[in-house]
Amino acid sequence: MPIFSHKASFDASVEEIWNWYNSPGAFRRIMPEWEGIDPIQAGKLVDGEETIFKVSLGPVKRTWLARHHSVEEGVGFSDRMIKGPFGAWNHQHTFEENGQSTIVNDKVEYKLPLHFLTGWTAPFTVKPRMNQMFRYRTDIVVNDIKQIKKTSHLPRQRVLVSGSTGMIGLQLCAFLEAAGHEVHRLVRPSTKLPKDVSSENVVVWNDLSGEVLQGDFENFDSIIHLAGAGIGDKRWSAKRKKLIRDSRVIPTTNLSKIIANLENPPKAFLCGSAVGYYGNRGTEVLDEKSESGNDILASICREWEESTAVAKDAGIRVSLLRTGIVISPLGGALAKLLLPAKMGAGGPVGGGKQMQSWISLDDEIYAIHHLMMDESSEGPYNLSAPSPVNQKTFAKTLGKVLRRPAFAPLPGFMIKIMFGEMGQKLVLEGQDVRPNRLLESGFEFTFDDLESCLRNCLGKK
């Protein structure tokens, strides 16, 4: 069978690398963002355990089931495809100590379907894709380990996360698990959780009434509250705007009251917010000391943040996460822009002068973890890269990464016709936000320029 080999060196011990791979979150962390892979079940590193996910093959999604074998703690493990799109697939991982570092060797034996006819295409169809995938995996492990080491001297925490099924929440929970924290999910009764999430690690509540239906809020070290209806998911009607507001303000108010009255309350409460707090401010440079804006998004963000007051008054450390545009093909703005950009229609929108304050998905979760572990962090923090760009530059950079033209303009009135007020606020307006307090707290960005961020998450290195 054809063999693909990959070797990577990590500045960590074999034990640290093994523990990362053996964490419940590792499988989700190593899945490349651009591949559209949907993890269903992550098997433990035990012989016979199975990992299941769906992988995109063009417009079709196929189920891939792999079974672990030859597992030897600290030495290596293998997984063999039982069901999936390949004719055969056996992936062997071995861990080799090399002084103060660890070398991970990956060896994949595979066959394409009808290999006797299709095998000759592997150098063009399979190997380039595998090279990108394993390069991405290496970077993820390197970056995760770097972040984990920064707080390895501190106790691991028992953490409750709301919004755990969203784009940010899924990766945040995965990273927290890889970092050794005990992760629990705060969900509504209708929430669909991954199959490998134990019911013991779930708190169920009615977010609009505050009624606890399963579990309790006692004895958590930190609570991270990210839940809220998607701002850019649907055109804004009066009903939609009310939902956007109520799904943030009411649950946050209820959550603040609950944790303020606990016998054993959390030490930290990290609450989601957004750079929309500042409103449409043109090219004015903004930081955490800047005043709030006066439009609908600014009003919602103010109420959202003010809803944490009860928790703060109870002596709980409250951090407000004013997040910018999170860059990932998994969702959000980039997911909507990719198709037109790939078709060469990703030029400047509405003149392209509006500023866009962005952050990579990885830096978003690393920043949240950093603030969670920093006992001195409190108040508002801008979670956005230190190098915001205008929309024209964003479009040009995306076109460069995709190797597509990015000059075809889209007039602002077309955005208003297509998306109404939502398009006006999210596409035609913007703000130039700087993460001053985050940088002052010692946080270091993994991706501080847009091009490197886009190349990483789109597999275009």
Side-chain angles (χ1 to χ4, degrees):
M1 287 195 294
I3 295 175
F4 174 87
S5 299
H6 183 269
K7 178 181 290 190
S9 180
F10 301 97
D11 183 22
S13 67
V14 169
E15 182 183 10
E16 288 172 317
I17 297 296
W18 176 267
N19 288 341
W20 189 93
Y21 272 92
N22 196 32
S23 71
F27 180 63
R28 186 175 294 278
R29 292 295 292 146
I30 62 174
M31 291 294 102
E33 294 177 51
W34 67 87
E35 287 282 10
I37 294 174
D38 182 18
I40 297 172
Q41 174 180 302
K44 298 177 182 178
L45 293 189
V46 176
D47 284 342
E49 281 283 306
E50 294 181 342
T51 292
I52 306 170
F53 57 96
K54 287 187 179 292
V55 59
S56 298
L57 297 173
V60 180
K61 283 224 170 191
R62 291 282 305 275
T63 297
W64 188 315
L65 187 154
R67 185 173 296 149
H68 293 316
H69 66 93
S70 306
V71 178
E72 188 174 352
E73 183 174 348
V75 177
F77 66 97
S78 298
D79 50 81
R80 179 176 288 109
M81 188 193 75
I82 306 302
K83 175 184 178 182
F86 279 80
W89 179 281
N90 187 54
H91 182 184
Q92 180 185 54
H93 315 67
T94 57
F95 301 80
E96 176 186 342
E97 187 175 346
N98 183 31
Q100 299 299 312
S101 61
T102 298
I103 294 175
V104 177
N105 296 290
D106 289 280
K107 178 183 175 182
V108 181
E109 298 176 285
Y110 68 94
K111 281 185 178 181
L112 294 175
L114 301 174
H115 193 82
F116 66 98
L117 294 175
T118 60
W120 66 273
T121 68
F124 316 105
T125 58
V126 177
K127 289 190 175 180
R129 195 166 174 176
M130 291 174 70
N131 276 323
Q132 286 284 15
M133 179 177 71
F134 279 94
R135 185 180 298 159
Y136 178 88
R137 288 184 171 196
T138 298
D139 289 345
I140 281 289
V141 179
V142 166
N143 295 335
D144 275 14
I145 292 293
K146 180 181 177 181
Q147 295 295 326
I148 293 167
K149 279 190 164 188
K150 289 180 179 179
T151 60
S152 60
H153 61 289
L154 298 174
R156 300 297 88 181
Q157 295 193 14
R158 186 170 184 261
V159 188
L160 181 65
V161 181
S162 79
S164 64
T165 58
M167 179 181 72
I168 297 171
L170 282 168
Q171 288 296 328
L172 175 64
C173 289
F175 172 73
L176 292 175
E177 290 170 335
H181 301 289
E182 180 184 334
V183 179
H184 297 246
R185 275 85 166 169
L186 175 61
V187 302
R188 296 177 297 172
S190 59
T191 302
K192 292 183 179 180
L193 286 167
K195 290 183 178 180
D196 51 350
V197 173
S198 169
S199 60
E200 296 179 0
N201 292 343
V202 172
V203 177
V204 183
W205 75 325
N206 182 324
D207 60 336
L208 297 180
S209 70
E211 181 185 3
V212 181
L213 305 173
Q214 175 187 322
D216 63 68
F217 288 86
E218 296 283 357
N219 296 305
F220 287 102
D221 297 298
S222 295
I223 292 180
I224 303 172
H225 181 43
L226 304 176
I231 292 177
D233 292 353
K234 296 180 180 179
R235 194 180 181 96
W236 288 358
S237 60
K239 183 178 180 181
R240 184 68 186 178
K241 286 189 284 188
K242 185 177 186 300
L243 176 63
I244 291 170
R245 183 262 180 200
D246 290 354
S247 66
R248 287 163 170 77
V249 175
I250 296 175
T252 305
T253 301
N254 290 332
L255 188 52
S256 296
K257 290 177 180 177
I258 289 171
I259 64 177
N261 291 290
L262 292 175
E263 185 176 338
N264 298 291
K267 300 179 184 69
F269 179 34
L270 290 82
C271 182
S273 185
V275 295
Y277 173 90
Y278 302 106
N280 180 33
R281 304 288 277 272
T283 57
E284 178 185 355
V285 177
L286 307 162
D287 64 15
E288 291 87 352
K289 297 178 182 178
S290 301
E291 294 182 357
S292 179
N294 55 13
D295 60 19
I296 181 174
L297 290 181
S299 175
I300 290 173
C301 288
R302 277 198 308 274
E303 283 195 84
W304 195 2
E305 294 184 5
E306 290 166 358
S307 301
T308 64
V310 176
K312 182 179 179 181
D313 292 342
I316 297 169
R317 176 170 63 87
V318 175
S319 296
L320 304 169
L321 314 173
R322 294 177 182 167
T323 297
I325 301 169
V326 181
I327 302 298
S328 173
L330 294 173
L334 183 58
K336 293 179 172 63
L337 290 171
L338 274 179
L339 181 59
K342 288 177 179 179
M343 297 175 67
V349 179
K353 294 181 180 180
Q354 60 274 33
M355 295 300 295
Q356 300 193 324
S357 298
W358 60 273
I359 185 170
S360 72
L361 179 56
D362 283 341
D363 278 326
E364 172 77 8
I365 64 174
Y366 293 156
I368 294 173
H369 180 251
H370 168 81
L371 294 174
M372 181 185 88
M373 299 297 286
D374 181 2
E375 293 184 354
S376 65
S377 68
E378 192 171 10
Y381 290 87
N382 293 331
L383 271 56
S384 60
S387 52
V389 297
N390 62 35
Q391 195 279 327
K392 184 176 182 179
T393 301
F394 188 102
K396 184 177 180 181
T397 305
L398 179 58
K400 177 182 178 182
V401 169
L402 295 174
R403 297 184 179 181
R404 297 290 191 277
F407 55 82
L410 182 62
F413 74 87
M414 289 297 297
I415 292 294
K416 293 177 184 177
I417 291 172
M418 290 188 293
F419 303 111
E421 185 181 5
M422 179 189 75
Q424 173 72 32
K425 294 298 177 185
L426 301 185
V427 180
L428 301 179
E429 297 180 1
Q431 49 281 124
D432 184 343
V433 174
R434 307 302 169 96
N436 290 356
R437 293 197 69 221
L438 189 60
L439 293 171
E440 289 166 2
S441 73
F443 181 75
E444 298 177 3
F445 281 83
T446 304
F447 301 100
D448 56 7
D449 72 281
L450 182 62
E451 183 174 339
S452 67
C453 171
L454 288 170
R455 288 194 181 281
N456 176 71
C457 71
L458 296 176
K460 299 295 183 181
K461 286 193 172 183

